[in-house]
Amino acid sequence: MDVQQIIESFQPAIIQIATQTATGTGFYVKEFDLIVTNEHVIGNNAEVTIAGKLFAKTLSRVWYTDRKHDLAFLEAPKNAILPELKLGNYESMKDGDQVLAIGHPYGLNYSATQGVISKIDRIRDGLKFIQIDAAINPGNSGGPLVNDNAEVIGVNSFIIRGGDNLGFALPVNYLREALQLYLPNKGQPSTRCHSCNYLVTPANIDSKKYCPSCGTEVKLPIMPEKETEPIGVSKTVEEILKELGKDVKLAREGQNNWSVKEGSAKIKINYNPENYFITGDAYLCQLPTDATRIRPLYQYLLKENYRMNGLVLSCVKQNIVLSSIVYDLDMTKESGVEIFQDLFKKADEYDDYLKKEFGCVDRLEE
């Protein structure tokens, strides 16, 4: 199987994961009906947002955490038929073997980086890791490391900062051991003690916070009675989205980033604490394929910009984008509701109008 075939076969089982503070990658293991990712991707969350090629964005329970091996298992999406990925044999791998690191680096969907195994058994903190020269960038964490037989041979885990393409993956034998350990308790929140490897569950945890085997303090991925509230501008943005009827949990895409749909338009909201601006970018349709209609389209966009107050239409590559920008100190919940309500409403209207009047085409999405 060539590289392109491997990537295409894996894409439907590669999962995007987002929390209030981070984003990452996971992959579905059909044999256990679980999504695998890194523990550092899900953080202290008992529930995260997931999305994939074959299912819409939804919430997923965190069932298992393992700080020592940096592993976490999530509930698989319901009513989604996902392909089977084969777990390979770590012992058969050797230095110099070709590998692929698959994930969502920097938010780019379904990216794959090809490389070779630099050292098959690099020891770090008492564990073996596969050292590779395929870059594991932010967002790639938790994705599969794949051999040329289209088998998962590791979980992409971390990089050494400052190192040129120096990435590390947890070998698949650790993953298989963890999956088999958790299987009898599937559907229960569980955590593996980072001191003695004992599986801690609600039934055996000591005083609700200690490992019953060695007494180490542990934390089960249990849903909190009250969700941790965001603070500052993030809190204001989420209050605005709630007021506009959006599901805030599903909208989150990492720290200070949100994404919602309004009709056929996709709106991305970002807060930059370095320049204090909140931006809302509604990605509408794409430029028409008929070149003779582009000039009239540009003229229309310029006229609309002259007419509108607080919103700007622009072209970003092939995409037509409707944008709003506001200084954080100038935005209250009330004014924010008005600003974003106007953005959402006009985004849906413009998207339909531009396709009808100028032959603009639907935006391609991965």
Side-chain angles (χ1 to χ4, degrees), residues 82-98:
L82 303 179
E84 181 173 2
L85 302 184
K86 293 182 180 179
L87 300 183
N89 182 12
Y90 165 70
E91 285 74 17
S92 68
M93 303 300 294
K94 61 185 183 301
D95 294 355
D97 282 352
Q98 295 281 335

